[in-house]
Amino acid sequence: MRFHCAVILIKINKVKIYLLVIVSFFYLNTSGQELNKADKKQYNLGLDYFLDEDYNSARVIFEELFITHADHAELNYYIGACFLNTRYLKQNAIPFLLKAISEDKDMIPSIVHKDMGDLYHMSYDFEKAIYHYNKYIEIAPRKDIYLDHSKRMLEVCTHAIQVIKDTLDVNIYNISAPVNTHNSEFAPYTSADDNILFFTRRKFYTDEELKNTPNPDTLSQLFIAKRTATGWGEQSQIELKGIDLNQDVSLAGISPDGQFVYINALNNGQQDIYKGQYSSDNKMQLEPLPYPINSEYWEGKVTISPDESELWFSSERPNGIGGKDIYTCLMQEDGSWGIPELAGPEINTPFHEDAPFIHPSGKIFYFSSTGHNTIGGYDVFSLLKSEQKTMPSQNMGFPINTTGDDMYFALTADGRHGYFSSSHGNKYGNHDIFKVEMNLNIPLTILKGSILAGEPLRPVGAKIRMLDTKSGNKMKYVYNPNPETGNYLIILPPGRDYTMIIESEEFLPQSIHIQIPDQIEFYELFQSIKLLPIISLGKQVGEHIQINNSFNESSKKESVEKDYDALFNLIDNIILQTDSIDEISKESRGLNLNTAKKENNTIEDNEFADLFASVDEAFNTGDTSTLSKIYNDAIVPDKFEQVFLYSDSEEEKDNLTQVIVGADTILTSPQMATYDEKTAIKASHNDLIEFKAEETLVIIDKKEEIKITPSMLRRSKPKDRRVILTHSFFFETNQKAANDSAINQISEITELLVNNNNLGVIIEGHSDALGQAENNMILSKKRSMWFLKQAQSLGLNPNRTILKYFGETLSTNNPSYDRRIDISIFELKAN
Amino acid sequence: MQKKIILIIPILFILFTSKAQQFNEYEIKLVYLYQSMKYINWPDEKTNSSEHFTIGVYGPENICDLANKMLSSRKIANKPCKTIKISDVNSAKKCDAIYIIDYKKFETIQILNALKDFPILTIGDQLQDFCQSGGMINLTDKAEKYRLELCPENIIDHNLEVSTQLYPISKIIKTEEVIF
């Protein structure tokens, strides 16, 4: 008689099933006695494979014997045990183990009931699971190590019955290739605008592949996929730097704007959280999060509030209340992180909590837990955050949660979709990424923008501080546009006024007021900011900021697909019938009696047909209101611009705006309002001068006559002028025109003047003291006139010039210096 | 007049009730551009010189591409439209019309000055003082009451003709009002 005893550890996902196999068989008697000699030989061969943990080979042999020995208790038992040792066929063990129990109750160890409980739980047959757990508790030895597990599973099954009863009516999709593959994809995180998806992938081996691969690649890799018009585009692997690449890594979270990525990695024996900024070359330098977020214990996943002022992370440090717990941490005034605090009992339990995720609204918190009323393994729980009171966490329900592990739930900013990874019901591999339609209505605004600067325009290193204008300019949000693209993504509560302080290289800080419309739904707003240097004579003399805002309702994210063809035929018919309107409206109403005829075009059947037809009709009938309506219904950004010109005067600070941001005082260029068009126009043209033809100065220079109308610029006093740029042109003796190289300089000066209507120019002519004073006076006048005429030919209106000539009256003893004109470009001071 | 009102109602109904009618800024502007050109007459020697009606775009490539997409199947002066991107005056002189986008005033004036003796329609895209600088039609900001600024005198000076049909929807700029 031979006696075999083996303890086989089987893992079903993360639920461990321990099958204590007490193999008692007798080659010549007991239960083996039903087998003939040849079958017995095969049976023993199968048993050898089984004990060598080659369950596939063992199962093949046992299943052959099963054909003729279907009632054989041990055979059923071993086939069931072989299935328990597979990765995806565990449920197949149930009928065999049941048969074994029914055929020979005494032979089967009590722990099989625990295993049956686990299998039935995984199969959503909770009543039967409860029966087997109870049976196990009844017959198992008093100190059996699985008693606590079975008692907990009785609670879990009870929860599951209730949760399943309240099954959610939601659609869950496997997001498919190219993200999901036959490998294992997990830990998905999307940016707030749902345009970037980061995820982790681990190579998946089938049982057969694993058997034939001596050194399987078990390390996970980090990937990114970007949304295209048709779904998630091709993914790219991200090369990580700053960690031990021979250790496993996992995505731990991302910042809401998708720029910063958090990684969970084992480095120098420490399982810590690292942070890196994503760059388009798909390389990422990682830095560990500082102590006390990282500690000598395990740290796992992390999430950060949109204003980056609060952070949650999972850790297994000893001061928790059991297993992995979630901690919260606040950013201090000095930018460092405070002491982590254990999150409350609404989150943490004596079981495991992990994968925290705070929604960009800051109002919904998701986490995974094996505690609370899980229906098995990790379940996803949601928690509504309220300043008034703490709400209990809610199981996200079936089918989001299953009896397996369901983790890494993240909700898109618009509340429409959630992403999570799960091992259940997928066809591509052991873990796949799933998308669930949530259709939550979340009043939240995402401001998506880009900031470009310079000539030519390029992304620029910048920092954007968002201040709540109403709450006393207390610093609230700080954002860093992507240095490679200039893109930024800002999440804002709607219905408030904000001040954007933009600090960038080579430009003055900008202070921009924006108003986020009060909305009850999710909105995406778009903004583009361009900072352009104003350069004249090789020197930056000012800056020009252009802002395009698409903040109106038409920029709501879910725009309707364009489908013009359905209306085309109807409109076309209407247009064809309106020929008589042409005759009615062809009345002479203006200066010109021209009778140019409208073209007879065949309007093509395309997506713009109805637009052409509508505008055509409005043009025909002179219907300006319809034209305005068409314009207002379109996605047309509000455009704002402001020019600020530098001055070297000591009073320059008076022209800047002082903005207090926390402990800092920032001097910005004049504030720009972008929400009230009247205000904005006023701001952008606050120095625009009205030119009134009250007096006319006529300068007669022999054959030429130039009329100069006095303007506020011309009549202003020197103390009210803010000088932007000065330059001198020098002349040869008796010459009234400078050399050819001066022409380019005049062109640059004229460009500055023409492009900025609020600028004036003083032209002062001089001569040396050689010759007669009267002739020198005429010569200095001609020199001034020469500049004026050159500038006028390039587009400068002479009304903006102050022309002076001094002859030799201000001459020095340096004739070459005296033969000159001085150009002084100025604007009027604001007050 | 009654017929006119009756006919407009269905168009307005379609326009105001259909959510499909959401276009972007330049789709709208290119339609205005096209419609404006339909009310201009070019001298015969100009229109006979090429098999296409050529619109030169001083501006971004993507808007030129959009213009080609929207206008290539349409006709002006009984010739199919062709849109090209231009960046120099010599290219502009070969066009029938030019559309200037996002240019500063100084650059615009230099372009207009270079074309002052040519029968080429000049259209600006919300350009500052465009008509006052010698331009002919300037598309206006959405907040403006009129969709166009129109300077008939500048048009006539270039040996072109404009229909008074454009006047009701335009702010007429007279050259004597040049005040900048």
Side-chain angles (χ1 to χ4, degrees):
Chain A
M1 183 180 77
R2 288 171 59 186
F3 177 80
H4 289 255
C5 180
V7 177
I8 300 160
L9 173 65
I10 302 162
K11 290 183 180 177
I12 298 178
N13 291 327
K14 290 184 180 177
V15 180
K16 294 177 180 176
I17 295 179
Y18 292 90
L19 177 61
L20 180 64
V21 183
I22 303 172
V23 185
S24 309
F25 59 91
F26 305 88
Y27 279 104
L28 299 173
N29 51 29
T30 67
S31 56
Q33 63 190 354
E34 299 167 18
L35 303 176
N36 62 33
K37 192 174 179 181
D39 289 344
K40 212 178 296 169
K41 189 177 178 183
Q42 279 298 95
Y43 179 86
N44 289 336
L45 181 61
L47 209 54
D48 286 340
Y49 279 124
F50 186 92
L51 295 173
D52 286 342
E53 299 184 8
D54 185 354
Y55 303 107
N56 282 337
S57 301
R59 202 179 81 219
V60 170
I61 293 170
F62 290 142
E63 284 178 336
E64 282 177 6
L65 291 170
F66 181 81
I67 295 170
T68 52
H69 302 281
D71 295 332
H72 193 281
E74 288 181 15
L75 202 52
N76 275 282
Y77 180 80
Y78 284 121
I79 293 172
C82 287
F83 277 121
L84 279 174
N85 281 284
T86 62
R87 287 198 282 186
Y88 297 107
L89 300 171
K90 295 182 193 299
Q91 310 302 315
N92 292 4
I94 291 176
F96 296 98
L97 293 179
L98 274 180
K99 183 74 176 174
I101 291 170
S102 65
E103 289 295 322
D104 194 344
K105 290 178 187 172
D106 296 334
M107 188 279 293
I108 302 301
S110 60
I111 200 165
V112 173
H113 287 287
K114 194 274 303 181
D115 293 335
M116 288 298 294
D118 290 343
L119 288 170
Y120 274 126
H121 164 257
M122 288 175 61
S123 305
Y124 298 89
D125 199 340
F126 303 113
E127 300 290 353
K128 288 179 181 171
I130 288 171
Y131 166 81
H132 283 283
Y133 285 128
N134 278 327
K135 189 72 180 173
Y136 172 74
I137 292 167
E138 177 189 330
I139 65 174
R142 280 188 177 182
K143 294 186 178 177
D144 194 284
I145 57 174
Y146 305 114
L147 278 175
D148 287 343
H149 164 81
S150 298
K151 289 173 183 173
R152 170 63 181 161
M153 288 307 292
L154 282 175
E155 294 175 356
V156 168
C157 289
T158 306
H159 299 151
I161 290 169
Q162 185 59 44
V163 170
I164 298 286
K165 194 189 294 179
D166 301 328
T167 294
L168 299 173
D169 183 18
V170 294
N171 293 320
I172 298 178
Y173 307 95
N174 184 310
I175 65 169
S176 306
V179 173
N180 284 331
T181 66
H182 68 282
N183 292 313
S184 182
E185 285 80 22
F186 56 99
Y189 290 96
T190 62
S191 57
D193 60 355
D194 199 21
N195 279 336
I196 299 174
L197 174 70
F198 291 96
F199 61 97
T200 315
R201 174 176 291 154
R202 182 179 292 131
K203 190 165 175 58
F204 170 74
Y205 297 91
T206 62
D207 292 331
E208 194 63 26
E209 287 170 338
L210 202 56
K211 183 180 168 186
N212 298 324
T213 307
N215 297 304
D217 178 9
T218 58
L219 299 181
S220 301
Q221 308 289 352
L222 188 67
F223 284 80
I224 181 174
K226 294 179 181 174
R227 185 173 288 288
T228 67
T230 54
W232 293 111
E234 287 300 316
Q235 75 277 5
S236 306
Q237 185 176 337
I238 298 174
E239 183 183 328
L240 303 175
K241 297 178 177 179
I243 57 169
D244 183 356
L245 297 175
N246 293 316
Q247 300 293 334
D248 202 21
V249 298
S250 174
L251 193 62
I254 65 170
S255 62
D257 60 5
Q259 285 202 50
F260 291 95
V261 178
Y262 298 91
I263 302 292
N264 172 251
L266 186 64
N267 208 27
N268 298 323
Q270 296 277 108
Q271 189 85 33
D272 282 337
I273 302 170
Y274 292 76
K275 180 182 180 182
Q277 185 164 22
Y278 173 71
S279 62
S280 58
D281 62 1
N282 291 323
K283 293 179 180 174
M284 193 183 295
Q285 180 67 41
L286 296 172
E287 298 289 339
L289 292 186
Y291 179 86
I293 296 173
N294 280 330
S295 72
E296 61 187 295
Y297 300 95
W298 178 92
E299 274 77 40
K301 309 300 178 189
V302 65
T303 186
I304 192 163
S305 62
D307 60 357
E308 299 190 3
S309 65
E310 191 169 8
L311 178 143
W312 293 261
F313 65 100
S314 53
S315 175
E316 209 164 7
R317 59 192 64 190
N319 52 340
I321 60 169
K324 298 170 184 173
D325 286 318
I326 291 173
Y327 293 78
T328 178
C329 204
L330 292 172
M331 182 169 277
Q332 307 300 294
E333 287 290 333
D334 62 0
S336 64
W337 289 106
I339 303 297
E341 291 185 7
L342 188 67
E346 68 279 7
I347 294 175
N348 288 318
T349 70
F351 301 93
H352 291 304
E353 279 73 36
D354 198 0
F357 174 79
I358 183 74
H359 184 262
S361 65
K363 303 291 184 188
I364 314 174
F365 185 82
Y366 295 96
F367 63 100
S368 294
S369 172
T370 59
H372 297 287
N373 60 335
T374 176
I375 67 170
Y378 277 104
D379 271 6
V380 180
F381 292 84
S382 65
L383 181 68
L384 292 177
K385 287 175 66 67
S386 164
E387 292 176 1
Q388 284 75 35
K389 61 177 181 178
T390 303
M391 311 287 281
S393 56
Q394 299 288 325
N395 188 305
M396 289 287 285
F398 179 82
I400 294 173
N401 285 325
T402 66
T403 53
D405 285 341
D406 306 289
M407 298 186 76
Y408 312 114
F409 187 90
L411 183 67
T412 55
D414 61 6
R416 294 176 188 278
H417 303 114
Y419 291 89
F420 66 103
S421 58
S422 175
S423 61
H424 75 290
N426 67 74
K427 62 181 179 181
Y428 291 103
N430 43 6
H431 271 249
D432 270 351
I433 296 170
F434 294 83
K435 178 180 180 179
V436 55
E437 286 182 355
M438 300 294 289
N439 295 322
L440 299 177
N441 183 24
I442 297 175
L444 186 68
T445 304
I446 284 185
L447 177 61
K448 294 174 72 172
S450 69
I451 179 166
L452 302 174
E455 193 73 55
L457 287 167
R458 63 186 186 282
V460 63
K463 181 164 74 174
I464 300 175
R465 305 197 210 200
M466 295 298 292
L467 315 178
D468 185 330
T469 307
K470 203 171 182 179
S471 66
N473 282 348
K474 185 182 177 184
M475 186 170 73
K476 192 75 176 173
Y477 304 127
V478 178
Y479 295 90
N480 295 295
N482 187 312
E484 290 186 334
T485 62
N487 293 341
Y488 53 86
L489 188 154
I490 298 173
I491 296 162
L492 298 166
R496 295 186 196 176
D497 294 350
Y498 295 94
T499 302
M500 297 178 74
I501 306 291
I502 301 173
E503 296 169 83
S504 59
E505 301 161 0
E506 301 171 12
F507 290 88
L508 283 171
Q510 307 292 326
S511 170
I512 303 164
H513 286 177
I514 62 171
Q515 185 178 58
I516 302 299
D518 196 7
Q519 294 140 348
I520 56 170
E521 297 176 359
F522 176 83
Y523 272 79
E524 276 189 346
L525 309 179
F526 301 92
Q527 180 177 63
S528 83
I529 297 175
K530 294 176 184 173
L531 291 169
L532 304 159
I534 299 173
I535 296 170
S536 191
L537 302 177
K539 175 187 173 189
Q540 184 169 344
V541 297
E543 53 196 46
H544 182 189
I545 179 169
Q546 294 179 330
I547 302 172
N548 282 7
N549 288 341
S550 292
F551 284 10
N552 54 18
E553 191 168 342
S554 59
S555 56
K556 188 177 174 182
K557 186 180 181 184
E558 193 182 39
S559 60
V560 179
E561 288 290 321
K562 289 176 185 173
D563 182 10
Y564 312 104
D565 294 342
L567 300 175
F568 170 68
N569 288 335
L570 175 61
I571 294 171
D572 199 21
N573 288 336
I574 293 168
I575 299 302
L576 289 173
Q577 292 172 45
T578 57
D579 286 348
S580 58
I581 293 175
D582 290 352
E583 303 306 320
I584 296 169
S585 58
K586 280 181 181 173
E587 298 168 2
S588 299
R589 280 180 279 188
L591 299 170
N592 196 325
L593 297 177
N594 189 294
T595 54
K597 289 185 180 176
K598 177 169 88 77
E599 292 291 327
N600 287 321
N601 277 287
T602 302
I603 300 174
E604 301 298 327
D605 186 3
N606 63 32
E607 61 181 327
F608 301 104
D610 62 336
L611 177 62
F612 277 101
S614 302
V615 175
D616 188 39
E617 177 65 19
F619 269 58
N620 272 336
T621 58
D623 182 3
T624 55
S625 61
T626 298
L627 291 174
S628 294
K629 173 68 178 167
I630 291 170
Y631 223 163
N632 290 335
D633 285 347
I635 304 172
V636 181
D638 296 315
K639 300 180 179 183
F640 306 89
E641 60 183 331
Q642 176 171 279
V643 168
F644 182 75
L645 297 163
Y646 308 146
S647 170
D648 294 331
S649 75
E650 293 178 358
E651 302 162 348
E652 186 58 13
K653 277 186 181 177
D654 297 341
N655 293 304
L656 301 177
T657 301
Q658 185 173 293
V659 181
I660 298 171
V661 184
D664 300 332
T665 299
I666 301 175
L667 289 175
T668 74
S669 60
Q671 284 190 328
M672 234 179 129
T674 63
Y675 50 84
D676 180 338
E677 289 193 359
K678 288 179 182 174
T679 308
I681 290 167
K682 186 180 175 185
S684 60
H685 296 109
N686 56 359
D687 289 327
L688 192 61
I689 305 302
E690 290 289 337
F691 295 93
K692 295 177 182 174
E694 293 172 359
E695 299 171 38
T696 300
L697 172 67
V698 180
I699 299 173
I700 301 173
D701 179 35
K702 292 185 179 175
K703 298 175 185 175
E704 299 174 68
E705 180 178 296
I706 300 173
K707 287 185 179 179
I708 300 178
T709 304
S711 65
M712 286 178 68
L713 281 169
R714 294 193 69 247
R715 287 183 296 170
S716 62
K717 295 176 181 175
K719 68 179 178 62
D720 296 326
R721 297 170 187 160
R722 182 168 170 263
V723 176
I724 305 303
L725 182 69
T726 59
H727 189 69
S728 296
F729 291 93
F730 295 94
F731 297 77
E732 297 296 327
T733 304
N734 274 331
Q735 292 298 309
K736 61 181 180 182
N739 56 38
D740 291 344
S741 65
I743 301 300
N744 285 338
Q745 293 173 327
I746 294 175
S747 177
E748 288 192 42
I749 291 170
T750 309
E751 182 175 1
L752 178 65
L753 287 161
V754 168
N755 286 342
N756 297 280
N757 275 358
N758 54 326
L759 296 183
V761 57
I762 302 168
I763 311 160
E764 295 178 328
H766 300 274
S767 76
D768 57 28
L770 304 174
Q772 293 183 356
E774 187 179 340
N775 290 340
N776 285 337
M777 186 61 75
I778 293 169
L779 185 58
S780 66
K781 177 185 172 184
K782 285 183 176 177
R783 285 171 176 162
S784 294
M785 288 293 290
W786 166 79
F787 176 88
L788 177 58
K789 282 186 277 188
Q790 293 291 336
Q792 191 182 14
S793 71
L794 293 168
L796 177 67
N797 189 308
N799 290 357
R800 294 161 59 188
T801 63
I802 297 172
L803 193 141
K804 296 180 179 179
Y805 38 94
F806 298 95
E808 63 183 58
T809 57
L810 299 177
S811 65
T812 63
N813 290 325
N814 185 348
S816 61
Y817 173 74
D818 291 340
R819 294 189 296 270
R820 74 183 194 279
I821 55 171
D822 294 328
I823 304 299
S824 180
I825 297 173
F826 68 94
E827 67 176 1
L828 295 186
K829 291 177 181 174
N831 298 313
Chain B
M1 184 59 75
Q2 190 178 8
K3 180 182 177 185
K4 182 175 169 183
I5 293 170
I6 292 169
L7 290 170
I8 289 173
I9 287 172
I11 285 190
L12 293 180
F13 176 79
I14 292 163
L15 193 65
F16 294 169
T17 57
S18 169
K19 282 194 170 183
Q21 304 286 335
Q22 191 171 49
F23 302 95
N24 69 37
E25 176 182 12
Y26 281 97
E27 288 169 346
I28 299 281
K29 283 180 171 173
L30 287 169
V31 176
Y32 287 170
L33 176 99
Y34 171 77
Q35 292 293 343
S36 303
M37 291 189 297
K38 286 165 64 177
Y39 294 93
I40 302 294
N41 272 352
W42 277 260
D44 290 343
E45 61 270 24
K46 178 72 177 171
T47 52
N48 293 337
S49 62
S50 167
E51 63 184 47
H52 283 99
F53 183 89
T54 306
I55 304 165
V57 175
Y58 275 104
E61 187 87 43
N62 61 330
I63 294 176
C64 188
D65 294 342
L66 178 64
N68 258 327
K69 177 187 173 189
M70 294 180 67
L71 305 180
S72 60
S73 63
R74 295 174 184 274
K75 290 182 176 179
I76 294 290
N78 211 27
K79 294 194 295 187
C81 291
K82 182 176 78 175
T83 311
I84 59 170
K85 177 175 166 55
I86 55 174
S87 55
D88 64 276
V89 172
N90 286 335
S91 302
K93 288 175 180 173
K94 297 171 187 169
C95 298
D96 298 293
I98 61 163
Y99 180 32
I100 309 175
I101 304 163
D102 205 18
Y103 268 53
K104 289 186 177 175
K105 188 173 167 183
F106 180 78
E107 296 169 295
T108 305
I109 287 175
Q110 308 317 309
I111 294 169
L112 295 174
N113 281 346
L115 300 178
K116 65 182 178 183
D117 296 326
F118 294 83
I120 297 170
L121 183 70
T122 53
I123 301 173
D125 184 60
Q126 293 181 224
L127 298 181
Q128 185 187 14
D129 299 325
F130 183 70
C131 288
Q132 293 87 337
S133 303
M136 302 175 195
I137 297 174
N138 193 26
L139 305 182
T140 58
D141 182 80
K142 67 175 180 179
E144 295 291 329
K145 178 181 176 183
Y146 295 100
R147 297 273 56 84
L148 307 174
E149 287 179 342
L150 178 72
C151 186
E153 291 167 69
N154 287 341
I155 295 175
I156 293 166
D157 285 348
H158 286 71
N159 200 23
L160 303 175
E161 295 175 336
V162 56
S163 167
T164 52
Q165 196 101 30
L166 279 184
Y167 288 14
I169 59 163
S170 304
K171 179 181 180 183
I172 305 299
I173 305 294
K174 297 178 182 177
T175 52
E176 61 263 35
E177 291 177 359
V178 174
I179 55 169
F180 62 89

